[in-house]
Amino acid sequence: MNASELLEQLQNLYPPDRLLTRPAQLAPYESDGLTAFRARPAGIVLPETQDEVIQTVRLCYHHEIPFVARGSGTSLSGGSVPIQDGLLIGLNRMNRILRYEPNQRIAVVEPGVINLAVSQRASGDDLYYAPDPSSGPVCTLGGNVAFNSGGAHCLKYGMTANHVLGLKVVLPNGEVCQLGGDSLEMVGPDLTGMFVGSEGLFGIALEITLRLLPKPEVYYTIQAAYDSLAKAGDAVSLVVASGLLPGAMEIMDRLSLDAVEAAVGVGYPSDAKAILIVELEGIAEEVEAEKPRLHEVIERSGAYLVEVAKDEKQRLKIWTGRKSAFSAVGRLSPDFIVQDGVVPRTKLGESLAEIDRLSREYDIRVANVFHAGDGNLHPLIMYDGRQPGALERAESLAGEILRLCIRLGGSITGEHGVGLEKCGYMREMFGESDLEFMFELRRAVDPLQLANRGKMLPLAEAPALMTRGAHPLEKQGIISRE
């Protein structure tokens, strides 16, 4: 693979400040939010128009050079790590809201638009964009589409796939096509749904048509403290079994509470082993009717302290703490892996008890922060990468947690994707026929496997090439781990 001819032709398309090739320019892009994996591309382009993206992809196809599209680089599965000697296409400058129609409740955006910016734009019309990942103030919607991001409120409102109506995309061969449209009503197969969550394997989104929702009339947020993490996990099933559908249910354990308290000073209970945040939202009459039922369930679940956010300021303080958890854990450990497995809600208590046992067995601290409503675990596995073998031990523990999720009837990922990190577990999650179908679909859209090569389905002609242990690309020297 020789990218020199490609870079020469890209000089005709991009000015020098938007075609990066010097080592110092490439270094910041070598890894993403999962810093254990890194690779250096041959070059980076920073397009500002759709036409530049299209022409770039066509050139990559002509020269058979693999490419990776990247937004803010917040992926926690290695999904936006570049390909060694390939091309990285940075989309942050494509950050325009192209169309905003509050009467139709839609917004058409470019892939570099920040998640939170859509809700800010729509707030004057009492509308908002529902998916709210913790990285919402910095992550881009192109990345949200690639990984089908969720967030705290996905329990009630669903994932990114439930809010993307249409896409204009450039396929890996440079062909441009329109998927979906402006309406919830579709004709034919759900190609939009196929593209969302495909981790960049099917090309690059150029325009994204989003569904906007009316802001809830009222919020009612409670914070329940428990003397064990398992009790907090079991409380989630009780809430759902009661018939309530909260906007969000989140759990944080003692380690994560300590980290957040040191970082932002929310005022969480100092003696709690875990807290459960439950938020009701909707029209005032509906929320008012649900309040007594929620309190009855929480009291029955064994909470020893229940606090209600008395105003919007206190509510936002609670959520600021929860959404600061990942970064705050950096106060406790120089390095950590954020895992992303899913278990059935009824198995939350069991899974948390087993994670605690594994933490003791491996002698590795694990902070638990997760979207309890849909069973999406986010254990933060702490290690010091300066110590020999520490990363490998942390990855081994992470693998045991993923296998636990599979055994309990869950999934190896809820919203962070497979990326580079979980390729070795695909065979444990899926059967051979399922994997072969995925490969057939991948090859039908991108026979040369140029788009985000090595992610989710790594450089494979058959599923048997996926093995546990060292990543296939690492064996070939295409990526490295530190």
Side-chain angles (χ1 to χ4, degrees), residues 96-383:
R96 292 170 288 255
I97 296 178
L98 302 173
R99 224 172 89 212
Y100 171 64
E101 299 188 17
N103 291 334
Q104 293 190 46
R105 296 180 181 172
I106 64 170
V108 180
V109 305
E110 292 182 321
V113 171
I114 299 298
N115 175 290
L116 186 59
V118 178
S119 292
Q120 291 173 335
R121 175 68 178 83
S123 63
D125 296 298
D126 288 327
L127 300 173
Y128 78 116
Y129 178 63
D132 61 336
S134 296
S135 56
V138 294
C139 65
T140 62
L141 285 158
N144 290 178
V145 166
F147 290 91
N148 193 22
S149 301
H153 290 80
C154 63
L155 169 64
K156 186 170 185 176
Y157 298 106
M159 312 287 280
T160 297
N162 303 106
H163 299 271
V164 174
L165 302 176
L167 294 162
K168 179 182 178 182
V169 306
V170 56
L171 301 179
N173 65 357
E175 180 184 351
V176 178
C177 61
Q178 181 71 44
L179 312 177
D182 290 357
S183 172
L184 284 169
E185 302 297 326
M186 294 186 303
V187 177
D190 182 15
L191 297 178
T192 302
M194 184 185 78
F195 193 94
V196 177
S198 62
E199 302 196 19
L201 300 188
F202 295 152
I204 301 174
L206 302 171
E207 293 182 8
I208 307 164
T209 303
L210 302 174
R211 177 168 71 115
L212 304 178
L213 298 180
K215 285 183 181 178
E217 185 179 347
V218 296
Y219 295 95
Y220 185 74
T221 309
I222 71 168
Q223 178 181 289
Y226 293 85
D227 58 13
S228 81
L229 183 56
K231 282 184 181 179
D234 291 336
V236 175
S237 295
L238 292 176
V239 172
V240 175
S242 74
L244 292 169
L245 183 58
M249 284 195 286
E250 300 284 306
I251 289 178
M252 300 169 65
D253 72 358
R254 184 69 257 164
L255 265 178
S256 59
L257 290 170
D258 288 341
V260 169
E261 200 59 38
V264 294
V266 175
Y268 292 131
S270 60
D271 55 347
K273 298 296 184 183
I275 65 163
L276 170 65
I277 302 169
V278 184
E279 183 163 271
L280 303 174
E281 57 184 58
I283 60 175
E285 293 82 0
E286 178 185 4
V287 172
E288 196 62 34
E290 291 177 341
K291 286 180 187 178
R293 201 175 354 155
L294 175 60
H295 280 276
E296 186 274 326
V297 172
I298 294 299
E299 182 178 350
R300 183 156 43 93
S301 71
Y304 72 85
L305 176 66
V306 179
E307 299 176 89
V308 178
K310 62 181 183 297
D311 53 30
E312 182 65 6
K313 182 179 179 181
Q314 188 174 1
R315 171 184 171 264
L316 291 177
K317 193 173 185 180
I318 290 172
W319 282 115
T320 297
R322 164 58 188 90
K323 294 197 172 190
S324 300
F326 286 3
S327 57
V329 167
R331 290 172 171 264
L332 304 180
S333 175
D335 302 287
F336 58 88
I337 296 172
V338 181
Q339 202 44 273
D340 176 46
V342 180
V343 297
R345 281 189 296 260
T346 54
K347 302 292 182 66
L348 273 175
E350 179 182 349
S351 64
L352 292 170
E354 180 63 9
I355 290 172
D356 183 56
R357 186 193 69 78
L358 288 168
S359 173
R360 295 194 304 272
E361 177 184 321
Y362 276 80
D363 193 24
I364 296 176
R365 293 187 299 169
V366 179
N368 290 281
V369 182
F370 54 96
H371 306 316
D374 63 344
N376 190 181
L377 306 172
H378 288 326
L380 286 76
I381 301 161
M382 292 178 253
Y383 69 98

Side-chain angles (χ1 to χ4, degrees), residues 54-77:
I54 295 165
Q55 295 304 317
T56 299
V57 171
R58 288 175 178 171
L59 285 170
C60 287
Y61 181 74
H62 175 74
H63 292 282
E64 298 189 7
I65 299 297
F67 62 87
V68 176
R70 177 184 173 116
S72 297
T74 57
S75 168
L76 292 168
S77 64

Side-chain angles (χ1 to χ4, degrees), residues 107 111 122 196 291 321-322 398 407-408 411 428 445 450:
V196 177
K291 286 180 187 178
R322 164 58 188 90
R407 288 199 306 273
L408 294 178
S411 168
E428 301 188 33
V445 178
L450 298 180

